[in-house]
Amino acid sequence: MSIEVRNITKTFGNFVALKDVSFKVETGELVALLGPSGSGKTTLLRIIAGIDVPDERGGAILIHDEDTSGTSFRERRVGFVFQHYALFRHMTIFENVAFGLRVRPRKLRPSEDVINQKVSALLELVQLDWLGDRYPSQLSGGQRQRVALARALAVEPSVLLLDEPFGSLDAQVRKELRRWLRRFHDELKITSVFVTHDQEEALEVADRVVLMNQSRIVQVGTPEEVYHHPANAFVYNFLGNVNLFHSRVEEGKVYLGDIPIDLPSEAAEDAKTALVFVRPHLLEIELQPNGSDHFRAKVEHINAAGPVVRVELITDWGDPVHVELSHERYRALGLQRDAEVFVIPKERKVFTDHSKPFGSERELP
Amino acid sequence: MTEPLWIKSLLIGLAVLFLAVFLILPLVVVFTEAFKKGIEVYFASITEPDAAAAIRLTLLTAAIAIPLNFVFGLAAAWAVSKFDFAGKSFLVTLIDLPFSVSPVISGLIYVLLFGLQGWLGPWLAAHDFKIIFAVPGIVLATIFVTFPFVARELIPLMQTQGSEEEVAARVLGASGWQTLWRVTLPNVKWALLYGVILCNARAMGEFGAVSVVSGHIRGFTNTIPLHVEILYNEYNSAGAFAMASLLTILTLVTLVLKSLIDWRSRIHSSSTAVVDEGIIA
């Protein structure tokens, strides 16, 4: 079942939570709504579910090409997993999962046997069949999360919506659970949307990512698309660590230290300043200039604990720079604190106006 | 832990002494005075017609006031804790009002409203409704005085619980009533019961407000507390204490129930939460 969001606007008093938002989720897709906190993503999810109502501005939510406005939760049949699970604290896990079946009108309510079978099957699916008679308070965060998922699936939803599904779990459980969610989705093939502020999570789990900032959608695309072809400075900045240089534009060129960089073709003619972004792993350190474009910097701090070595540098003109190196490279260079080095940007991105969506990618020759 | 023994014993001793003088001694006095003239006199004084009428009236008043309070308290707490609306804090202040008004004044308000010289008095008299110096007045005054008990117990609990579970229930297809019966009520049942018990204790024990509107007509508009006063003023101390012992027993039962609920809900929420701690304390 597809989901279509059409021109949705939502205001809370003077605060605009969503500004004319539109996008479509195809049947069977797993889509991430990604954005910083306050970008409107949870509001959007709650509007799709019908928990919140959008402003009357001619917008609509369509599920399976049918307008859902004015329909009841029963008709809409969305599965919703709350950030803090919202399990019924006075019911056992079994009863939590059975709830959606038990509250059906008498004619549509399955028999006790069917409910038993169904709930058992769901608990097995989320690998918690041995916890049926416990209470939510006796479960760990990851287990509660899966109960919430089973409870949402019990009503055979047409779409599944998850609000920060891994938000309140610790790092290790988070990683396990998001791989599990991906496999789970591949098995069930149910159209799903999840909200997250964690770019790593979105890029790893989702088929497509909807990036939101300041109540608007900034970019929609596959994880590869948004990572390699970010629509604007915000997206580039948000999807991973970056070094940011504020540069002046002179005679159609941007300068990163002494390195001249062409302005992107879409750039505004009269741009006076530009932002240059370089990812930490796309900077190379050399002890001697090797003919490539470079700028000079001094080593401030080295952190060699972890899969990569993180080096903090400070440029001639006083900007801090973060570089990530492999351990081999680090040993070969024999870097020390206060060493003077040459930094070679292998790839960089230039944005002249970070509020407007355009961008380009430029490789060095 | 670190205090010297003598300080510890001194403080504990003081506390015990205080308890003995102010709580246990009066309790003992009530029962010794009640049984002073023997068990026959005791039972005679609580079964004589006027006393029996007072007991019946007290039970009737409680039986009317408590269900109304239950419904009102739940509705008010639900509105205040699950919704945002203009005038919310004003409503909360109104709910608390009976706590801050002297019970005598509460009674007086009803006399001014419904009394013969009051605003609605002439109209009521013309239509042969009797409120002041009659049972309806007593019930009204009791309801007013016990107004905040249930709501006050529920509001903080429902506020900490938030409305996420209710929203979850609705999304899962539950109707409004199903959500109330299956999610909201079970989540607050202990606080609700606790509120009802407190409300009951107050409804049966209320003196000031009821005294103003009752008119003290023996056998008709006397509740237990009023009857105690009359007997005491007539130097019938055995009778007065016998009636008082009934209220004392009610207090003890309330105390036991309160502890039980306290204990029960603590077990229920032992691992859950911090959430339930505040309410019962």
Side-chain angles (χ1 to χ4, degrees):
Chain A
M1 304 257 179
S2 60
I3 305 171
E4 192 178 344
V5 175
R6 231 184 243 173
N7 309 108
I8 292 294
T9 296
K10 173 75 180 173
T11 49
F12 294 103
N14 287 327
F15 176 71
V16 181
L18 291 171
K19 262 184 240 164
D20 198 22
V21 167
S22 302
F23 71 97
K24 189 167 184 190
V25 182
E26 300 298 341
T27 305
E29 259 191 322
L30 176 57
V31 167
L33 283 180
L34 174 65
S37 53
S39 57
K41 52 195 192 312
T42 293
T43 308
L44 181 54
L45 196 75
R46 289 172 73 95
I47 286 176
I48 297 174
I51 299 168
D52 287 344
V53 182
D55 294 359
E56 299 277 349
R57 302 261 170 102
I61 303 287
L62 288 79
I63 293 178
H64 201 49
D65 296 325
E66 272 172 45
D67 194 338
T68 59
S69 52
T71 58
S72 70
F73 286 112
R74 254 178 213 158
E75 293 163 300
R76 209 178 293 228
R77 283 203 307 133
V78 294
F80 198 96
V81 177
F82 292 81
Q83 182 179 2
H84 302 292
Y85 323 127
L87 296 178
F88 306 123
R89 70 193 85 197
H90 62 284
M91 291 182 203
T92 61
I93 299 309
F94 185 94
E95 285 305 319
N96 261 280
V97 178
F99 186 85
L101 301 171
R102 289 205 198 282
V103 296
R104 282 191 186 167
R106 193 151 296 153
K107 279 177 289 175
L108 303 171
R109 199 181 305 158
S111 71
E112 198 61 26
D113 283 348
V114 176
I115 292 180
N116 268 328
Q117 272 171 25
K118 206 160 174 186
V119 173
S120 306
L122 277 165
L123 284 176
E124 214 165 294
L125 186 70
V126 297
Q127 301 151 12
L128 289 174
D129 41 325
W130 47 290
L131 288 176
D133 52 358
R134 302 273 184 94
Y135 284 90
S137 61
Q138 297 168 307
L139 267 57
S140 72
Q143 290 168 336
R144 282 182 219 181
Q145 178 64 61
R146 283 181 282 159
V147 174
L149 192 58
R151 185 179 69 176
L153 289 172
V155 293
E156 290 168 11
S158 53
V159 296
L160 186 61
L161 308 172
L162 306 103
D163 186 9
E164 298 269 2
F166 318 111
S168 20
L169 303 171
D170 54 58
Q172 199 61 36
V173 183
R174 229 180 142 100
K175 279 195 174 148
E176 268 169 41
L177 211 57
R178 74 188 187 213
R179 284 191 200 117
W180 178 82
L181 179 73
R182 180 69 240 188
R183 286 199 305 274
F184 192 80
H185 179 265
D186 291 340
E187 267 172 50
L188 293 180
K189 290 280 175 222
I190 176 167
T191 311
S192 309
V193 180
F194 74 100
V195 158
T196 181
H197 61 262
D198 183 340
Q199 37 88 18
E200 207 182 307
E201 200 164 282
L203 296 180
E204 183 183 320
V205 177
D207 294 321
R208 283 198 305 148
V209 178
V210 175
L211 264 140
M212 297 192 63
N213 189 33
Q214 294 178 341
S215 324
R216 291 176 189 278
I217 291 182
V218 193
Q219 191 176 7
V220 181
T222 64
E224 287 80 10
E225 276 164 16
V226 295
Y227 188 80
H228 292 295
H229 305 283
N232 64 14
F234 164 77
V235 177
Y236 194 78
N237 203 353
F238 195 69
L239 295 179
N241 296 326
V242 285
N243 290 297
L244 165 62
F245 304 96
H246 291 271
S247 311
R248 290 183 56 79
V249 177
E250 279 164 30
E251 291 160 6
K253 301 256 186 210
V254 187
Y255 286 88
L256 171 53
D258 296 331
I259 309 172
I261 306 168
D262 288 335
L263 272 176
S265 49
E266 319 83 10
E269 296 274 315
D270 56 345
K272 296 246 167 30
T273 59
L275 298 175
V276 180
F277 291 94
V278 190
R279 298 225 186 264
H281 65 277
L282 294 172
L283 284 165
E284 260 175 20
I285 294 180
E286 293 287 351
L287 297 175
Q288 297 297 329
N290 66 355
S292 308
D293 284 343
H294 62 259
F295 58 83
R296 297 172 65 109
K298 197 169 91 176
V299 178
E300 286 267 296
H301 182 75
I302 298 169
N303 178 6
V308 293
V309 179
R310 290 166 208 278
V311 182
E312 282 174 39
L313 305 155
I314 191 144
T315 62
D316 279 355
W317 62 92
D319 274 352
V321 181
H322 297 268
V323 178
E324 285 173 12
L325 307 172
S326 67
H327 282 271
E328 292 86 346
R329 182 72 189 141
Y330 168 64
R331 276 193 298 273
L333 285 170
L335 278 188
Q336 295 290 329
R337 263 197 74 153
D338 293 331
E340 294 278 348
V341 296
F342 297 87
V343 182
I344 299 157
K346 288 190 287 188
E347 191 188 308
R348 62 255 168 155
K349 280 198 192 290
V350 178
F351 297 96
T352 49
D353 182 353
H354 47 100
S355 65
K356 285 197 188 118
F358 57 74
S360 92
E361 200 171 5
R362 257 140 238 267
E363 301 282 341
L364 277 178
Chain B
M1 288 296 179
T2 54
E3 307 305 334
L5 186 64
W6 70 270
I7 290 191
K8 278 199 269 188
S9 341
L10 182 73
L11 289 175
I12 292 170
L14 273 175
V16 170
L17 190 72
F18 185 86
L19 272 178
V21 172
F22 286 91
L23 284 173
I24 298 168
L25 204 60
L27 209 61
V28 174
V29 168
V30 167
F31 286 99
T32 43
E33 287 290 324
F35 287 100
K36 213 173 191 172
K37 293 184 178 160
I39 202 149
E40 292 84 13
V41 178
Y42 178 82
F43 281 107
S45 37
I46 59 172
T47 47
E48 57 106 1
D50 288 351
I55 293 169
R56 271 199 305 277
L57 180 58
T58 299
L59 291 176
L60 174 74
T61 308
I64 297 171
I66 290 163
L68 285 175
N69 248 295
F70 181 95
V71 173
F72 163 76
L74 186 66
W78 183 71
V80 165
S81 56
K82 313 265 172 177
F83 298 94
D84 267 321
F85 51 89
K88 185 162 142 176
S89 56
F90 182 65
L91 180 64
V92 175
T93 313
L94 273 187
I95 292 171
D96 277 345
L97 192 69
F99 274 162
S100 47
V101 174
S102 155
V104 177
I105 307 290
S106 318
L108 210 57
I109 294 166
Y110 286 105
V111 174
L112 292 177
L113 257 181
F114 303 117
L116 259 185
Q117 268 73 45
W119 285 11
L120 304 174
W123 187 86
L124 287 169
H127 291 80
D128 212 20
F129 282 123
K130 217 161 156 34
I131 290 181
I132 300 304
F133 306 142
V135 176
I138 292 172
V139 173
L140 275 177
T142 306
I143 289 174
F144 180 83
V145 172
T146 54
F147 213 49
F149 280 93
V150 173
R152 265 289 132 211
E153 283 309 311
L154 292 183
I155 289 171
L157 173 64
M158 286 169 99
Q159 270 172 342
T160 39
Q161 287 182 346
S163 48
E164 245 198 350
E165 286 182 43
E166 278 86 358
V167 175
R170 293 306 304 271
V171 175
L172 286 166
S175 68
W177 282 111
Q178 284 174 321
T179 307
L180 178 69
W181 287 110
R182 289 167 180 260
V183 178
T184 309
L185 278 179
N187 271 344
V188 297
K189 61 181 174 209
W190 297 114
L192 194 57
L193 191 55
Y194 186 47
V196 165
I197 285 172
L198 287 185
C199 175
N200 177 53
R202 181 68 191 264
M204 292 191 171
E206 176 55 29
F207 181 84
V210 171
S211 170
V212 177
V213 296
S214 133
H216 307 270
I217 307 164
R218 290 179 87 143
F220 292 97
T221 63
N222 259 353
T223 60
I224 297 178
L226 300 182
H227 197 62
V228 170
E229 195 209 17
I230 290 177
L231 292 175
Y232 189 75
N233 287 343
E234 291 169 350
Y235 304 103
N236 179 356
S237 72
F241 277 106
M243 289 301 273
S245 74
L246 292 179
L247 285 177
T248 312
I249 289 166
L250 170 72
T251 311
L252 292 175
V253 170
T254 304
L255 211 66
V256 170
L257 280 178
K258 171 192 174 306
S259 311
L260 268 178
I261 290 174
D262 216 5
W263 174 73
R264 182 66 188 78
S265 67
R266 204 166 296 238
I267 287 186
H268 194 68
S269 64
S270 56
S271 47
T272 346
V274 227
V275 177
D276 297 1
E277 294 291 341
I279 338 122
I280 304 301

